[in-house]
Amino acid sequence: MKKTVLIFVLFFGLSNAKAQNKTITTSGDILQIAIPAVAFGSTFIWNEDNTKPTWQFIKAYGSGLILEQALKHIVLKPRPDGSDNYSFPSGHTTSAFSGAAFIQRRYGWKYGIPSYVLASYVGYTRIQAKKHDGWDVLGGAVIGIGTSYLFTKPYSKKKVDVSLNRMDGGYTIGFNYTY
């Protein structure tokens, strides 16, 4: 019963008021910057595995934005609201999905799933604002994810395993270094 009421409130509460539409659009504008900002900030916090995560993020994010801007000027697809001819692909979703994919690739699905949910919400806000259609959002998501996967190496802590084995009249110590 609680789920039904919650779905009803969310569906009708979010879909009817103009003020709420502006809030939804603004939240997408903020998240398209916040997600990659968190990803970038994380490279300074967890920078102990010598894979240069800051440089990985800069290459992934930068190449995604360059590709997105180049496609906008090549494709020249009109926006649904008719404001200009730079609809495909969505820059907001490229930015959000680039940050989300970096987080997921670097730190795993535990952090990746919430990041992808927020990035998907950014895509929804762009469709809701009539700035993009589904293809524009999908194109931006593919670019953001693709460039992040291309340049980002997964984070893994190096492990040293020590083993002690008894042999005839003595012991052996073994070290296994995993990187």
Side-chain angles (χ1 to χ4, degrees):
M1 180 65 177
K2 287 182 182 180
K3 287 182 182 179
T4 306
V5 171
L6 180 62
I7 290 170
F8 180 82
V9 169
L10 286 174
F11 179 76
F12 288 104
L14 293 176
S15 63
N16 290 329
K18 266 193 173 185
Q20 287 177 337
N21 287 342
K22 177 94 171 117
T23 303
I24 291 169
T25 302
T26 302
S27 65
D29 293 342
I30 293 168
L31 282 172
Q32 68 105 11
I33 296 168
I35 297 168
V38 167
F40 184 64
S42 75
T43 67
F44 297 104
I45 297 168
W46 292 284
N47 186 10
E48 52 194 50
D49 66 347
N50 201 25
T51 60
K52 299 180 177 57
T54 304
W55 183 237
Q56 290 176 22
F57 176 81
I58 290 168
K59 289 189 294 187
Y61 191 76
S63 62
L65 292 183
I66 290 168
L67 180 58
E68 168 255 319
Q69 283 296 312
L71 284 172
K72 279 185 180 290
H73 288 84
I74 292 168
V75 175
L76 296 174
K77 180 182 174 199
R79 291 187 187 270
D81 68 357
S83 61
D84 63 36
N85 289 331
Y86 301 113
S87 184
F88 183 84
S90 167
H92 281 65
T93 54
T94 299
S95 177
F97 274 94
S98 181
F102 180 86
I103 291 168
Q104 180 270 311
R105 182 92 166 121
R106 250 339 252 163
Y107 309 113
W109 285 104
K110 178 180 177 182
Y111 303 105
I113 289 173
S115 301
Y116 280 126
V117 168
L118 291 172
S120 298
Y121 175 75
V122 171
Y124 162 76
T125 67
R126 302 310 289 162
I127 294 170
Q128 174 270 330
K130 297 187 181 2
K131 294 292 184 182
H132 295 286
D133 61 23
W135 291 110
D136 302 337
V137 169
L138 180 62
V142 168
I143 292 168
I145 293 168
T147 56
S148 286
Y149 263 73
L150 184 64
F151 292 108
T152 307
K153 292 186 176 112
Y155 174 78
S156 63
K157 290 187 176 183
K158 297 177 178 115
K159 295 182 180 181
V160 176
D161 293 320
V162 179
S163 62
L164 179 64
N165 296 312
R166 185 167 189 223
M167 295 188 60
D168 296 329
Y171 295 91
T172 61
I173 298 176
F175 294 96
N176 184 23
Y177 179 69
T178 307
Y179 58 96

